[in-house]
């Protein structure tokens, strides 16, 4: 009897242990894993699923734009970066094949798309359909800066941004415009008085704090989280452009006022110079782009852009600046291969480097290399016959894009400080007699090159 009882007890213990083990497995699968998955999805967005507010808002937006033939493309930096890191996986995913939501389900307030305005055929109709589908849409307009120089059209407003909210998630649609330099431009997002500032958390938007300029991206269609979308074919390049995309418009109204006071030189010689200078700047931009070297408009060329939106016809040269850390050893040979012989080389990479190349029609290209100190920047100058050195001091500056002579080029963002450093407070008044050793407001002596170094630091051709 005792033996039977022992067997029964052993069986009962085995059964109880198995039941407890099954309970533990069920608890782990249905409670702990769900809890941990929720925590993971908060950080990575890979476990939220296709019922998330974000995914449903994006899906509805894609359905809307597809039905209205509006060719939007994704420019959201967070999602583009995720796609870029997992591109092979994304590329091999077919439509509707996604088993879990990895990209559009990341918890966030916005998803950002873009649109090229000239491809939008039915703006008002799209707006009505969006509202019928449950979106609350906000349209932000402002003056078209391209028309500021035309009296009869100045003040014409264009759409710059749309913000469409579905439940708690918003789609930010950035409107891009073609510019004459073959690039895309978007305007700033400025809220007018009647707009509800609490409609969405506007300060979190990735686009709109400043106007921006981007290379025109080639697009490709991919499937992301079961949705067919367009993205830039080179996401890395687009993402690299973003932090440096700020755009400054030429001051068309001020330029018009300048030419009312100082008539533009329309002689044959002046027009020929401006044409040659434009071609030289375009050639310089092309050469430096191939080298991967940043440059900006400097000295008289920068003054011409800021003061009168054109090339100063009596300047007789084209001036650009380059940070010395961007110098490349093949820069001289690259310009020579482009058909621009070296006219002179002053200084050396470590100190006061300056290059000058001869363009056609006796127009030269001067390249000034800038050196950074703790609280300022400077470029150097050298007097060939004496070996005297000069230094031109500038406050620190960042680089922005602008449009100049039908080109997208860089200028110092802190333009007025840059120009006043070089030309003083009277920069608005044309000065045709200029001594580079004494006239600039920011010039100071910087010693003399040792005679033993002249062969290296003073080269004339």
């Amino acid at each position: 009897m005792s033996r039977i009882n022992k067997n029964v007890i052993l069986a009962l213990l085995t059964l109880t242990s198995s039941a407890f083990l099954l309970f533990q497995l069920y608890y782990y699968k249905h409670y702990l894993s769900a809890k941990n998955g929720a925590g993971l999805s908060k950080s990575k967005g890979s476990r939220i699923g296709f019922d998330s507010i974000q995914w449903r808002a994006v899906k509805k937006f894609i359905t809307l734009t597809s039905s209205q033939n509006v060719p939007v493309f994704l420019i959201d930096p967070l999602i583009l970066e995720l796609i870029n890191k997992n591109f092979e996986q994304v590329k091999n995913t077919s439509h509707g094949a996604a088993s879990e939501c990895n990209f559009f389900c990341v918890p966030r307030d916005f998803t950002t798309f873009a649109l090229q305005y000239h491809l939008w055929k039915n703006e008002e109709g799209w707006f009505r359909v969006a509202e019928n589908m449950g979106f609350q849409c906000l349209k932000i307009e402002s003056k078209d800066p391209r028309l500021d120089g035309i009296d009869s059209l100045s003040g014409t407003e264009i759409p710059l941004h749309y913000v469409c909210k579905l439940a708690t998630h918003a789609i930010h649609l950035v409107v891009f415009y073609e510019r004459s330099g073959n690039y895309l431009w978007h305007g700033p997002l400025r809220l007018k008085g009647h707009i509800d500032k609490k409609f969405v958390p506007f300060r979190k938007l990735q686009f709109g704090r400043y106007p921006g300029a981007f290379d025109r991206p080639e697009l490709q269609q991919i499937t992301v989280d079961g949705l067919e979308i367009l993205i830039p074919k080179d996401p890395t390049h687009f993402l690299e452009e973003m932090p440096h995309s700020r755009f400054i418009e030429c001051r068309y109204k001020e330029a018009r006022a300048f030419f009312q006071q100082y008539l533009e030189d329309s002689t044959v010689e002046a027009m020929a110079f401006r044409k040659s200078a434009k071609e030289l700047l375009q050639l310089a931009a092309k050469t430096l782009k191939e080298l991967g070297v940043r440059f900006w408009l400097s000295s008289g060329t920068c003054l011409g852009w800021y003061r009168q939106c054109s090339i100063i016809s009596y300047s007789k040269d084209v001036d650009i600046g380059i940070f010395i850390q961007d110098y490349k050893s093949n820069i001289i040979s690259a310009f020579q291969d482009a058909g621009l012989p070296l006219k002179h080389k002053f200084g050396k990479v470590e100190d006061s480097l300056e290059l000058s190349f001869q363009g056609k029609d006796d127009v030269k290209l001067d390249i000034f290399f800038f050196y950074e100190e703790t609280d300022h920047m400077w470029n150097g100058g050298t007097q060939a016959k004496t070996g005297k050195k000069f230094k031109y001091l500038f406050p620190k500056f960042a680089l922005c894009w602008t449009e100049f002579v039908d080109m997208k080029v860089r200028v110092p963002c802190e333009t007025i400080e840059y120009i006043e450093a070089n030309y003083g407070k009277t920069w608005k008044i044309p000065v045709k007699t200029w001594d580079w050793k004494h006239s600039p407001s920011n010039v100071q002596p910087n010693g003399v090159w040792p005679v033993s170094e002249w062969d290296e630091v003073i080269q004339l051709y």
Side-chain angles (χ1 to χ4, degrees), residues 254-451:
E254 290 80 358
R256 194 168 61 221
F258 174 83
F259 284 122
Q260 287 174 351
Q261 185 174 3
Y262 305 100
L263 295 179
E264 186 171 13
D265 189 346
S266 57
T267 61
V268 173
E269 293 78 13
M271 290 190 290
F273 168 75
R274 288 194 290 267
K275 180 176 181 295
S276 297
K278 175 181 176 179
E279 292 171 355
L280 180 58
L281 183 59
Q282 289 173 333
L283 182 56
K286 180 176 181 291
T287 304
L288 292 170
K289 184 175 182 178
E290 290 171 355
L291 289 174
V293 174
R294 296 174 298 168
F295 78 93
W296 65 92
L297 305 182
S298 191
S299 303
T301 307
C302 185
L303 175 63
W305 164 75
Y306 191 73
R307 186 177 68 189
Q308 56 207 65
C309 297
S310 68
I311 293 169
I312 299 174
S313 57
Y314 55 81
S315 61
K316 303 305 178 188
D317 57 19
V318 171
D319 303 310
I320 64 174
I322 294 175
F323 292 123
I324 194 60
Q325 62 263 32
D326 291 337
Y327 171 83
K328 292 193 176 179
S329 58
N330 58 339
I331 191 169
I332 293 176
S333 61
F335 275 102
Q336 290 175 328
D337 290 343
L340 300 176
L342 184 64
K343 186 176 177 66
H344 72 241
K345 176 187 176 186
F346 293 154
K348 50 188 175 181
V349 174
E350 299 79 17
D351 182 10
S352 305
L353 183 63
E354 174 191 339
L355 301 175
S356 185
F357 296 91
Q358 186 63 61
K360 69 177 185 178
D361 301 325
D362 206 30
V363 180
K364 63 187 178 73
L365 171 70
D366 290 332
I367 303 179
F368 303 104
F369 289 87
F370 278 64
Y371 299 77
E372 185 172 357
E373 305 291 350
T374 304
D375 59 351
H376 68 278
M377 295 182 181
W378 63 276
N379 73 279
T382 296
Q383 187 177 31
K385 63 181 181 180
T386 64
K388 286 183 179 180
K389 298 168 63 182
F390 298 88
K391 180 183 282 191
Y392 304 85
L393 306 183
F394 293 86
K396 287 196 168 184
F397 58 89
L399 295 178
C400 288
W401 291 108
T402 192
E403 184 174 310
F404 183 59
V405 293
D406 299 327
M407 293 175 59
K408 172 180 162 235
V409 292
R410 293 181 180 91
V411 292
C413 300
E414 298 78 9
T415 319
I416 187 65
E417 293 85 355
Y418 188 88
I419 286 175
E420 286 187 352
N422 214 180
Y423 296 98
K425 299 286 186 181
T426 59
W427 56 268
K428 293 181 181 179
I429 302 171
V431 177
K432 296 187 178 183
T433 303
W434 188 260
D435 182 346
W436 61 269
K437 301 181 296 299
H438 304 290
S439 297
S441 302
N442 58 343
V443 65
Q444 64 180 41
N446 192 31
V448 181
W449 290 109
V451 174

Side-chain angles (χ1 to χ4, degrees), residues 165-188:
K165 185 167 67 172
L166 185 70
T168 59
H169 192 72
I171 304 295
H172 179 199
L173 181 60
V174 182
V175 184
F176 279 102
Y177 290 85
E178 289 185 313
R179 297 289 291 251
S180 56
N182 193 33
Y183 63 96
L184 299 181
W185 170 91
H186 72 78

